[in-house]
Amino acid sequence: MAVTRRSLLSASGALASAALVPSAARASASANGARMRRIAVEEAWSIPEHFKALAAVSEGDWNNLDVENVRLLGHGTGPIPINLLDTERRLAEMDSLGIDMQLLSLTSPGVQIFEIETAVALAALANDRLADVVTANPSRFGGLASFAPQDPRRAAKEMERAIHKLKLNGFIVNSHTGNEYLDEAKFWPILEAAEALGRPIYLHPRCPSDGMAAPFRDYRMRAAIWGFQAETGTHAMRLILSGVFDRFPKLQIVLGHMGENIPFHLWRSDNWYKKRASAYPSKLPPSEVMKRNFHITTSGVEHGPALRYTIEVLGAERILWAIDYPYEEMAPAVTFMNSVDIPEAQRSAIYHRNTERLFHVASATGHGGLL
Ligand code: MN
């Protein structure tokens, strides 16, 4: 192969970038050729006022699964809280791994376990602070806005403010609110606002609602080991079967954790939908709703067979890269996405192109990112 000026330049660029990333990530990056922009979309973040409000709730004797998690977080001083609060520390690690950008969102359960006025005020404060973080580093951070589903009409107003005034990228909801789910008509102003604004709602996990909590109280099953996907997958399936996407056909929902197990069950859901179509309000079978109204992310699932299967079922254009920092570590997420055996066009779609399109993140313009 002839050595051109271009190949020399890209070779020297690869050497320069190699100094920035650890050896495991570097080896796979060079094996896959050109450096791709890396945007992670489910990245938890918080503010001291949020920790204060969480601490107040956790001091009571409320027998709630999320409160058990909140008690583990403590009062904002352990390693997870420090990583949630410290943007400089986060940026330094992003630099060392060649992570161009993170879309930040208020950590679960967000404002959804607070009484209504606290929740509304704290969501607005968190969104203001998040906008400050993004404004200070617009090429490195984007943001998903919080709102208080406890008051759907004020939530819709905050969603509008978050996009039009604060220029955030989308929204996050931590599954149920007061044991109620977004398919219920009282929440439709939220779905309507997201559709009208053309921005997705990230349906993020929290622990199972009271109605399904009992079996999850044993063996610490409430969280990532099983409870999160049981709760969040159930929420997503309620949305799918309820027919809300017949009413809001352009609404986009994002599920983390490789789709909260829905892709693996989808054939069976379709099969039973077809046998009993009149029993389900949705006009479309689950797989058609998934491929029209959902995207999924790789957060916390660094498993090649699961990703290749999900690409086959949903299409690579429906999949986004995510880390789930600081609950998961950045380095293995980068190593996985650099090295997983998929075509390079799919890798770049998942690493950044789908996110740029879905969350309205400006495309890198040559000098963007780290290189
Ligand atoms: Mn998460």
Side-chain angles (χ1 to χ4, degrees):
M1 195 175 83
V3 178
T4 61
R5 185 169 174 271
R6 187 187 198 122
S7 67
L8 280 172
L9 280 174
S10 68
S12 63
L15 284 173
S17 67
L20 292 170
V21 296
S23 57
R26 187 167 68 234
S28 52
S30 59
N32 290 315
R35 165 78 164 79
M36 285 174 191
R37 193 183 195 199
R38 301 167 184 164
I39 311 176
V41 300
E42 187 201 315
E43 312 315 323
W45 165 88
S46 192
I47 57 175
E49 291 86 344
H50 186 224
F51 272 100
K52 206 172 158 197
L54 289 173
V57 167
S58 71
E59 274 156 17
D61 56 1
W62 188 10
N63 184 25
N64 171 282
L65 290 179
D66 283 295
V67 170
E68 289 178 31
N69 271 357
V70 167
R71 287 191 184 110
L72 287 182
L73 274 181
H75 292 67
T77 52
I80 294 268
I82 286 168
N83 286 334
L84 287 167
L85 295 166
D86 189 339
T87 304
E88 290 309 312
R89 191 183 172 115
R90 182 190 304 257
L91 261 178
E93 194 171 351
M94 288 167 64
D95 287 348
S96 77
L97 292 164
I99 296 168
D100 297 279
M101 196 170 188
Q102 291 192 354
L103 302 190
L104 306 179
S105 49
L106 191 64
T107 196
S108 184
V111 302
Q112 289 163 253
I113 58 170
F114 304 131
E115 57 83 22
I116 199 162
E117 292 306 323
T118 303
V120 169
L122 203 45
L125 177 68
N127 291 339
D128 287 342
R129 294 281 179 76
L130 186 49
D132 290 343
V133 171
V134 173
T135 302
N137 268 303
S139 68
R140 308 304 302 282
F141 293 122
L144 307 187
S146 296
F147 53 80
Q150 295 93 320
D151 187 333
R153 301 230 166 257
R154 277 195 283 177
K157 286 206 171 70
E158 180 62 13
M159 292 166 79
E160 202 177 319
R161 187 181 82 94
I163 300 303
H164 287 153
K165 180 150 182 275
L166 302 180
K167 311 293 182 195
L168 296 176
N169 300 84
F171 312 104
I172 188 155
V173 172
N174 300 289
S175 200
H176 76 85
T177 303
N179 305 303
E180 294 182 306
Y181 292 89
L182 291 174
D183 51 279
E184 291 168 39
K186 65 185 280 187
F187 296 119
W188 288 355
I190 291 168
L191 305 185
E192 186 178 15
E195 186 189 49
L197 292 161
R199 301 303 176 100
I201 297 175
Y202 203 117
L203 189 63
H204 186 276
R206 62 180 290 187
C207 295
S209 64
D210 290 348
M212 59 191 285
F216 294 90
R217 292 190 184 279
D218 300 323
Y219 319 128
R220 200 167 161 169
M221 282 175 68
R222 62 181 183 267
I225 192 119
W226 191 251
F228 283 166
Q229 58 80 31
E231 162 65 24
T232 315
T234 299
H235 193 159
M237 195 52 77
R238 284 187 62 104
L239 289 170
I240 289 168
L241 294 176
S242 69
V244 292
F245 298 104
D246 298 323
R247 182 173 287 265
F248 307 109
K250 292 187 173 153
L251 175 63
Q252 296 298 318
I253 303 290
V254 182
L255 292 173
H257 315 102
M258 216 62 91
E260 309 293 5
N261 278 356
I262 288 182
F264 196 76
H265 195 79
L266 204 49
W267 187 91
R268 190 158 202 238
S269 294
D270 263 13
N271 196 34
W272 278 91
Y273 176 90
K274 283 167 193 161
K275 289 186 201 192
R276 304 268 189 275
S278 64
Y280 307 107
S282 175
K283 291 193 179 117
L284 292 174
S287 65
E288 287 185 36
V289 177
M290 279 298 287
K291 285 188 263 193
R292 188 185 68 173
N293 297 99
F294 282 79
H295 291 72
I296 70 103
T297 82
T298 61
S299 56
V301 184
E302 280 125 27
H303 189 220
L307 178 59
R308 287 189 292 272
Y309 169 83
T310 309
I311 289 171
E312 186 174 334
V313 170
L314 297 180
E317 70 279 3
R318 290 268 156 195
I319 304 174
L320 318 172
W321 181 59
I323 302 165
D324 210 356
Y325 181 82
Y327 302 102
E328 305 283 357
E329 291 172 19
M330 295 190 202
V334 172
T335 301
F336 169 70
M337 201 61 229
N338 284 349
S339 60
V340 64
D341 185 15
I342 56 173
E344 295 310 291
Q346 293 183 351
R347 193 184 320 278
S348 66
I350 294 167
Y351 239 155
H352 69 100
R353 286 191 286 112
N354 297 337
T355 297
E356 289 162 358
R357 182 185 69 243
L358 183 66
F359 285 107
H360 296 235
V361 174
S363 297
T365 54
H367 61 279
L370 291 168
L371 299 182

